[in-house]
Amino acid sequence: MVRKAVLPVAGLGTRFLPATKIIAKEMLPVVDKPAIQYIVEEVARAGVEDVLLVTGMGKSSMEDHFDRRLDLEAALAAKGKDEELALVRGLSELVTMHAVRQHEPLGLGHAILQAAGHVAEDESFVCCLGDDFLHPESDFVERMVEAHERTGRPVIALMEVPDDQVHLYGAAAVEPTDRDGEFRVTHMVEKPDPGTQPSNLIMVGRYVLPGSVFGYIRDTPPGRGGEIQITDALQAMAAEEPIIGLKLDVDRYDTGDKLGYLQATVQLAAMRDDLGPDFLAWLRGWLAEHDG
Ligand code: G1P
């Protein structure tokens, strides 16, 4: 059973300065929830009960967000605001939240290694990166966990992107299996130079990994950008334990940069029953006026 998730969220969020000078980028709201909450809800839907945030200096607001806030709860209760009270209370009941610090930005592999004190070598865990989240009702992480439990193999999420975007990601070469959308990963490269990419399949920030990955990370020298890369550790692991790739078949919202963040905000607002109709009517009117 996979019951733990590790969320590396120590990044400085420089792409969103000055907003992220004080506020963690993962706390920026997409409509009315911070981005990190979508991710925690995503892993909770997959059966995760225990989440470890790998944070850094100035990012403790994420822990507070998932804690009780008794003064606010009392104020909401006194005013009979039951719906809001349930929303606030529910946050502390989603999962058991823990945090550990990554003291220095030495790479994603190094961030994940900070979980070694929390996840046993014979335990498996979900790892989700903080820059994107999947459709709020998607069961994709649950299906990754199911593939891991069925095969006993590490599982990574893959997505096809145009040629000129592959160099921004980890990319994978794969072979088909007899299951639709499920592949055997034969080779992985972190941010391949343009023209050298193994395929157009990139590694999205979703992994289901056995605790044995920590040993591989410890043996991984700094790679791309002088950082310890999880992709390099997985490449070493793939030589001994075949890795499974699952192709993403649900919407993904990339909140790691401004354009993706705006797109996510618009799409999620449009999908909401309470906001969508009014928001879209306004947007259509605004576009008609400004497009001439
Ligand atoms: C990280 C990983 C990369 C992956 C990407 C997904 O890169 O190292 O393999 O494809 O996340 O978003 P980063 O975006 O942190 O540079």
Side-chain angles (χ1 to χ4, degrees):
M1 298 295 254
V2 179
R3 289 284 169 256
K4 291 185 182 169
V6 174
L7 313 185
V9 286
L12 289 176
T14 48
R15 278 182 276 192
F16 284 91
L17 282 170
T20 48
K21 181 185 168 194
I22 303 296
I23 297 171
K25 66 174 171 174
E26 296 81 5
M27 287 300 289
L28 296 177
V30 179
V31 187
D32 52 8
K33 281 187 210 175
I36 187 73
Q37 188 178 333
Y38 290 95
I39 300 176
V40 171
E41 289 174 348
E42 192 178 311
V43 297
R45 283 199 302 281
V48 164
E49 295 164 352
D50 180 296
V51 169
L52 179 72
L53 300 171
V54 182
T55 68
M57 188 62 78
K59 305 205 88 171
S60 50
S61 56
M62 279 183 275
E63 290 157 68
D64 291 346
H65 185 69
F66 295 98
D67 198 353
R68 297 279 304 268
R69 174 80 196 267
L70 297 179
D71 56 339
L72 178 61
E73 288 180 23
L76 293 170
K79 289 188 176 147
K81 296 197 175 234
D82 296 340
E83 229 172 273
E84 290 83 351
L85 179 60
L87 276 181
V88 170
R89 273 296 292 272
L91 283 170
S92 61
E93 290 158 3
L94 264 176
V95 294
T96 304
M97 192 63 77
H98 305 269
V100 65
R101 293 285 181 111
Q102 182 190 23
H103 297 296
E104 291 174 273
L106 299 180
L108 179 57
H110 177 261
I112 295 171
L113 185 58
Q114 307 313 303
H118 188 76
V119 180
E121 294 276 329
D122 62 354
E123 212 175 357
S124 295
F125 63 101
V126 175
C127 176
C128 296
L129 307 191
D131 275 349
D132 58 84
F133 59 86
L134 305 182
H135 188 286
E137 281 153 29
S138 113
D139 65 348
F140 190 77
V141 175
E142 192 181 338
R143 285 187 275 134
M144 289 180 73
V145 168
E146 182 276 321
H148 172 72
E149 284 172 351
R150 171 167 41 81
T151 61
R153 305 295 182 202
V155 180
I156 63 174
L158 298 171
M159 185 176 91
E160 218 163 302
V161 297
D163 268 354
D164 62 351
Q165 288 179 24
V166 177
H167 72 281
L168 300 170
Y169 301 93
V174 300
E175 287 169 354
T177 66
D178 51 11
R179 285 179 173 254
D180 215 24
E182 193 167 311
F183 299 88
R184 236 181 322 276
V185 178
T186 54
H187 189 63
M188 283 157 282
V189 193
E190 182 63 15
K191 305 198 174 78
D193 290 327
T196 68
Q197 55 228 42
S199 80
N200 280 28
L201 285 177
I202 59 125
M203 298 160 67
V204 182
R206 297 289 176 278
Y207 312 78
V208 182
L209 302 171
S212 57
V213 74
F214 299 127
Y216 289 96
I217 299 174
R218 284 188 194 101
D219 291 342
T220 298
R224 176 65 70 179
E227 297 187 340
I228 297 167
Q229 300 290 352
I230 187 64
T231 305
D232 295 342
L234 293 176
Q235 170 63 18
M237 197 174 194
E240 286 161 48
E241 303 188 44
I243 292 183
I244 305 284
L246 273 197
K247 205 163 156 191
L248 200 68
D249 54 4
V250 301
D251 287 341
R252 165 178 178 265
Y253 305 95
D254 185 353
T255 49
D257 66 25
K258 283 174 222 180
L259 183 62
Y261 177 78
L262 289 172
Q263 288 166 339
T265 304
V266 169
Q267 289 177 75
L268 267 88
M271 271 158 42
R272 286 265 294 252
D273 291 340
D274 56 345
L275 280 170
D278 286 351
F279 174 62
L280 286 174
W282 167 80
L283 188 59
R284 283 192 194 100
W286 190 89
L287 288 173
E289 215 174 284
H290 290 77
D291 280 356

